[in-house]
Amino acid sequence: MDEDAEMPVREGVGKSLVGAIDDGTKTVRFVIYEAEQSEELAAYQLDKTELQPQEGWYEQDPLEILHHIRECAEYVIDQLIEIGYSKEDLLSIGITNQRETTIAWDKFTGEPLHPAIAWNDIRTDSTVDAILAKVPDRNKNYLKNICGLPISPYFSALKMRWLKDNIKAVRRASRDKRLMFGTVDSWIVWNLTGGPHGGLHITDVTNASRTLLMNLETLNWDPMLCRLFGIHRESLPQIRSSSEIYGIVRDGSVLDGIRISGILGNQQAALVGQNCLQAGQAKNTYRSGCFLLYNTGTRRVQSTHGLLTTVAYKLGPNAPAVYALEGSIAVAGGAMKFLRDNLKLIKNVAQDTEHIAGQVFSTGDVYFVPAFSGLYAPYWRKDARGIICGLTAFTTKNHIIRAALEAVCFQTRDILEAMNKDCGMPLSKLNVDGKMTSNDLLMQLQTDLIGIPVLRAHTWDMSALGVAIMAGNSVGVWSCERWKQHATPTDTFLPTTTDDDRDARYTKWKMAVQRSLGWATTKKSFAMTEERYRLLASIPATIYLIGSFAMLVVSSVLKNR
């Protein structure tokens, strides 16, 4: 711990304030709350630049993330002063971030060695094949009893391995022992606390649990997993709890001197913000992707139905870890963006989607599976691709847009069905948040298709609130125990359909999913397995040259016939 982090809590002029840095897939936000209040006191956000160098590749600029954080913080601090507060009233900040997004940088210069590889990037398909070749029966679930995760392009270890295999600057940095790997929280903390000049290389248990490298029991980097993926532990951050004083901001920005005392992955932060702090409670967040977390308490539930076991939070260095089952959906809001940008069916996602879909009373038996880059939970099929099926001569864009909304709901039901099987206790209600929840039609479709009440939070961004609670808890101004008793205002949506109707529609959805599988076939190559490497190496060079010459002769003869 930074030596200055031991200083006592400052007594501000006004009420105690807690800030939150919220790094999402599309935006960076800085938010300030009055301690133990769920309403935002001041906030500002900036959009990110999304880079897509190839199909299925998604990158971000790590330096832009830092720039946006500092600019948002300056704007918000100015807002504070205008409403009668001062910077000294801001006792602490927390950091919540898009998970799995991976950055490599130089520990001596602080320069990123490559753009950040985003969580939804699928460039690591061949890397997955190489790792699967090393495990018995090429079983993608072989590591789940250690880290809770399947071997999938989604997780950070595959992105780290790809960077080492394909980027010369990363390989050189690894050889020279100056390579640092981390998720976005690590990048932010390291830079805010000094960067090359003593910056803290840390992460919290929730982000570490998304890498494929952390042992869920020991909460440390697992030696066997690090060897399997070829990642040196020296390049990885130290794993800490989600709520403790890590250090002081020392980057010359407006946040200088303020403590950092909370870190949570954005979906775990939303679970805390939604007040799902008791075992058996769950929340779903509807953004670019969709993420449903079910609190299982201090019990680790190993899913046998395609879900992830993850850390929900850890309330301090000496507190036990609280775990969750998670279902991750790759495409939710992304499907609406596809309808707007690719098919030109809508102009404004927020305004047009609900209005146009609401002009028809059903999808007309049209089903849309938005598996643009494969399916995540509970299928974990990277060979799936998007389909629209059930089209007739009477299908209109209204039906397709409504089918896209229903796809989000059906994917949520897929996850709830798996959770029911794993836990044996069906949910009685589902808490929801995220930008998409402003769509009343989507919320009604969701409750109709899962058959339980849906409770929509009044604040769409619960991630910032959740990490503010964690940051405030560690400095004694925002008690998590008291937050459990907090009544979060919600809008309630109740089912209006029969069990037979929702089950019949769900059966058709499962048929559509089956038709989406197997579209993306991986070309078999010598690079896929170690056995093939050895086979290639065993072929004498002379035989290889003779064969090549023979092929040229045959080709020449055929051309001249």
Side-chain angles (χ1 to χ4, degrees):
M1 183 184 294
D2 191 303
E3 61 182 7
D4 292 336
E6 295 288 356
M7 65 183 185
V9 175
R10 291 190 298 251
E11 294 296 329
V13 175
K15 296 180 180 178
S16 298
L17 306 182
V18 181
I21 295 168
D22 183 358
D23 169 67
T25 306
K26 306 291 186 184
T27 61
V28 172
R29 303 180 75 227
F30 189 77
V31 188
I32 291 181
Y33 300 88
E34 288 183 358
E36 301 197 341
Q37 300 298 317
S38 57
E39 294 81 17
E40 296 177 1
L41 183 64
Y44 191 68
Q45 75 176 45
L46 290 169
D47 291 336
K48 287 183 175 179
T49 304
E50 184 179 71
L51 309 173
Q52 195 170 359
Q54 296 184 37
E55 182 182 355
W57 293 30
Y58 296 93
E59 297 177 351
Q60 298 171 17
D61 181 356
L63 296 177
E64 182 186 63
I65 293 172
L66 296 175
H67 170 269
H68 283 5
I69 289 170
R70 289 162 181 150
E71 189 169 332
C72 288
E74 285 182 13
Y75 194 91
V76 170
I77 295 297
D78 287 343
Q79 286 184 33
L80 275 188
I81 294 170
E82 287 177 9
I83 59 177
Y85 289 86
S86 69
K87 176 187 165 182
E88 284 65 38
D89 295 321
L90 184 57
L91 300 185
S92 181
I93 59 173
I95 297 167
T96 183
N97 58 288
Q98 51 176 324
R99 306 167 306 166
E100 297 91 24
T101 297
T102 305
I103 302 173
W105 70 95
D106 189 305
K107 71 188 295 185
F108 297 122
T109 68
E111 288 298 312
L113 300 171
H114 188 270
I117 300 180
W119 60 271
N120 52 346
D121 185 290
I122 59 168
R123 75 184 66 188
T124 59
D125 271 356
S126 59
T127 312
V128 169
D129 290 330
I131 296 298
L132 286 174
K134 299 179 181 181
V135 302
D137 302 321
R138 299 180 62 86
N139 180 6
K140 65 187 177 186
N141 294 317
Y142 182 70
L143 306 176
K144 285 190 73 173
N145 64 327
I146 303 172
C147 62
L149 310 175
I151 301 171
S152 162
Y154 183 24
F155 303 109
S156 302
L158 277 308
K159 305 179 199 303
M160 294 177 190
R161 183 69 251 175
W162 186 92
L163 286 165
K164 288 189 72 174
D165 288 343
N166 294 278
I167 306 302
K168 288 182 180 178
V170 174
R171 283 201 302 275
R172 283 197 299 267
S174 177
R175 183 192 63 217
D176 299 341
K177 299 190 183 304
R178 52 188 173 83
L179 173 63
M180 294 185 121
F181 272 133
T183 43
V184 183
D185 59 306
S186 297
W187 168 249
I188 294 171
V189 172
W190 188 79
N191 279 281
L192 290 188
T193 56
H197 309 292
L200 298 171
H201 192 32
I202 63 172
T203 188
D204 92 300
V205 286
T206 67
N207 282 290
S209 72
R210 314 297 298 186
T211 61
L212 269 169
L213 297 173
M214 190 188 84
N215 186 304
L216 280 178
E217 182 176 0
T218 65
L219 304 181
N220 284 312
W221 303 122
D222 188 273
M224 185 276 285
L225 295 178
C226 290
R227 282 195 302 273
L228 175 65
F229 290 97
I231 306 300
H232 295 299
R233 293 179 70 179
E234 294 75 21
S235 65
L236 297 171
Q238 180 189 11
I239 301 174
R240 306 279 283 271
S241 77
S242 310
S243 181
E244 60 177 281
I245 301 173
Y246 311 106
I248 306 291
V249 177
R250 301 184 185 283
D251 70 337
S253 73
V254 70
L255 298 176
D256 245 26
I258 298 174
R259 289 167 295 181
I260 303 172
S261 61
I263 303 174
L264 278 175
N266 56 9
Q267 301 310 319
Q268 285 91 335
L271 187 78
V272 175
Q274 283 275 30
N275 205 353
C276 295
L277 300 176
Q278 307 280 1
Q281 296 178 319
K283 71 87 200 173
N284 199 15
T285 297
Y286 300 72
R287 288 186 172 180
S288 299
C290 209
F291 305 91
L292 203 162
L293 270 70
Y294 179 104
N295 187 327
T296 62
T298 55
R299 180 172 65 109
R300 294 192 310 279
V301 176
Q302 291 293 342
S303 174
T304 57
H305 296 90
L307 302 180
L308 314 177
T309 306
T310 195
V311 180
Y313 53 85
K314 189 173 188 287
L315 280 173
N318 300 317
V322 173
Y323 296 90
L325 277 177
E326 175 173 340
S328 308
I329 297 168
V331 179
M336 310 308 142
K337 183 182 176 185
F338 173 81
L339 296 179
R340 180 193 67 193
D341 299 342
N342 296 50
L343 302 188
K344 311 298 183 185
L345 296 184
I346 54 177
K347 292 181 178 179
N348 185 293
V349 170
Q351 297 173 11
D352 296 347
T353 307
E354 182 175 0
H355 172 70
I356 296 174
Q359 291 177 357
V360 290
F361 295 107
S362 73
T363 66
D365 236 14
V366 172
Y367 290 82
F368 179 9
V369 183
F372 303 140
S373 54
L375 287 170
Y376 284 4
Y379 305 101
W380 299 107
R381 291 289 296 265
K382 63 188 180 72
D383 63 343
R385 287 298 179 265
I387 63 165
I388 300 174
C389 57
L391 298 173
T392 70
F394 299 100
T395 300
T396 67
K397 72 175 184 178
N398 308 58
H399 297 105
I400 294 173
I401 294 168
R402 191 178 181 106
L405 290 176
E406 286 199 355
V408 178
C409 305
F410 281 127
Q411 290 179 99
T412 299
R413 176 161 175 178
D414 281 337
I415 292 168
L416 288 175
E417 295 277 328
M419 285 183 175
N420 291 347
K421 293 171 184 174
D422 282 331
C423 297
M425 291 184 63
L427 278 182
S428 59
K429 62 182 179 181
L430 179 64
N431 296 282
V432 301
D433 62 90
K435 278 189 175 180
M436 288 188 75
T437 61
S438 62
N439 186 322
D440 287 349
L441 176 60
L442 174 64
M443 294 294 94
Q444 189 57 51
L445 289 171
Q446 185 66 89
T447 189
D448 284 342
L449 291 173
I450 61 177
I452 59 174
V454 168
L455 279 60
R456 177 176 65 189
H458 284 184
T459 302
W460 66 265
D461 184 7
M462 303 302 281
S463 296
L465 176 60
V467 81
I469 293 167
M470 285 287 163
N473 180 78
S474 61
V475 297
V477 298
W478 204 332
S479 166
C480 281
E481 283 303 313
R482 283 204 297 273
W483 183 251
K484 288 181 182 179
Q485 315 306 321
H486 181 81
T488 305
T490 59
D491 301 317
T492 301
F493 293 82
L494 300 173
T496 58
T497 57
T498 64
D499 289 342
D500 289 343
D501 177 62
R502 72 173 61 95
D503 290 343
R505 290 157 71 187
Y506 185 58
T507 299
K508 285 276 188 77
W509 161 260
K510 299 290 280 187
M511 291 168 58
V513 168
Q514 287 302 310
R515 286 159 172 77
S516 77
L517 304 177
W519 285 94
T521 55
T522 304
K523 292 181 180 179
K524 303 296 181 183
S525 69
F526 286 110
M528 282 180 61
T529 67
E530 291 181 340
E531 287 76 16
R532 286 174 175 170
Y533 274 126
R534 287 195 291 271
L535 176 63
L536 183 61
S538 69
I539 300 175
T542 52
I543 296 176
Y544 176 79
L545 290 172
I546 291 169
S548 298
F549 179 75
M551 290 297 293
L552 286 171
V553 171
V554 171
S555 177
S556 177
V557 169
L558 290 175
K559 276 187 178 179
N560 293 324
R561 286 185 63 180

